[in-house]
């Protein structure tokens, strides 16, 4: 059983930056691909960024490319999402998730955290 805990959300003005962190415990972090999803109330979750188990492969949703960077530190059991040039439409609850790569990019996850709120004001 893997537990995931996010931090780093908050309120930021448009154009600003935030760095989200997700710490894993209770499992073999380095064996999982990791993803950051976001969800606005009443809508489906969206996979924003994903990273393979050893950090070799990354993938981003179109709106995140060039602005967000996903990275991981397997020694610290932590995955990060650096978000720059934030826009009001990035406002959502962001949560991290763990799974094998193929299911993860299809949105099929094994474990997820509770999420952290990101609010971008205009």
């Amino acid at each position: 059983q893997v537990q995931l805990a996010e931090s780093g959300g908050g309120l930021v003005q448009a154009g600003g930056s935030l760095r989200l962190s997700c710490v894993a415990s209770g499992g073999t972090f380095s064996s999982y691909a990791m993803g950051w999803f976001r969800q606005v109330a009443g809508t489906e979750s969206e996979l924003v960024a994903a990273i393979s188990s050893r950090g070799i492969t990354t993938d981003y949703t179109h709106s995140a490319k060039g602005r967000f960077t996903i990275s991981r530190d397997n020694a610290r059991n932590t995955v990060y999402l650096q978000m720059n040039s934030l826009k009001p439409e990035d406002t959502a609850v962001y949560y991290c998730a763990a799974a094998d790569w193929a299911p993860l990019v299809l949105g099929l996850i094994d474990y997820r955290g509770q999420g952290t709120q990101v609010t971008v004001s205009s």
Side-chain angles (χ1 to χ4, degrees):
Q1 190 79 5
V2 176
Q3 291 83 45
L4 302 171
E6 303 93 341
S7 62
L11 173 64
V12 64
Q13 289 188 331
S17 298
L18 284 175
R19 188 194 196 201
L20 306 184
S21 299
C22 169
V23 179
S25 61
T28 307
F29 177 75
S30 60
S31 68
Y32 290 98
M34 298 296 297
W36 283 97
F37 290 77
R38 64 186 178 190
Q39 186 171 26
V40 176
T43 68
E44 291 188 357
S45 292
E46 175 188 26
L47 176 60
V48 176
I51 188 166
S52 60
S53 59
R54 291 190 291 171
I56 295 173
T57 302
T58 58
D59 195 18
Y60 299 88
T61 191
H62 178 73
S63 63
K65 289 180 180 177
R67 300 189 299 127
F68 294 4
T69 302
I70 189 170
S71 61
R72 67 189 294 161
D73 184 341
N74 284 349
R76 297 177 184 271
N77 289 354
T78 303
V79 61
Y80 305 96
L81 185 68
Q82 177 68 43
M83 303 187 294
N84 299 328
S85 303
L86 282 162
K87 305 175 182 180
E89 51 263 42
D90 294 318
T91 296
V93 174
Y94 285 70
Y95 63 92
C96 61
D100 290 334
W101 176 263
L104 181 69
V105 297
L106 294 175
L108 303 174
I109 62 177
D110 293 329
Y111 305 101
R112 60 160 289 177
Q114 292 195 334
T116 184
Q117 176 70 46
V118 171
T119 303
V120 184
S121 64
S122 57

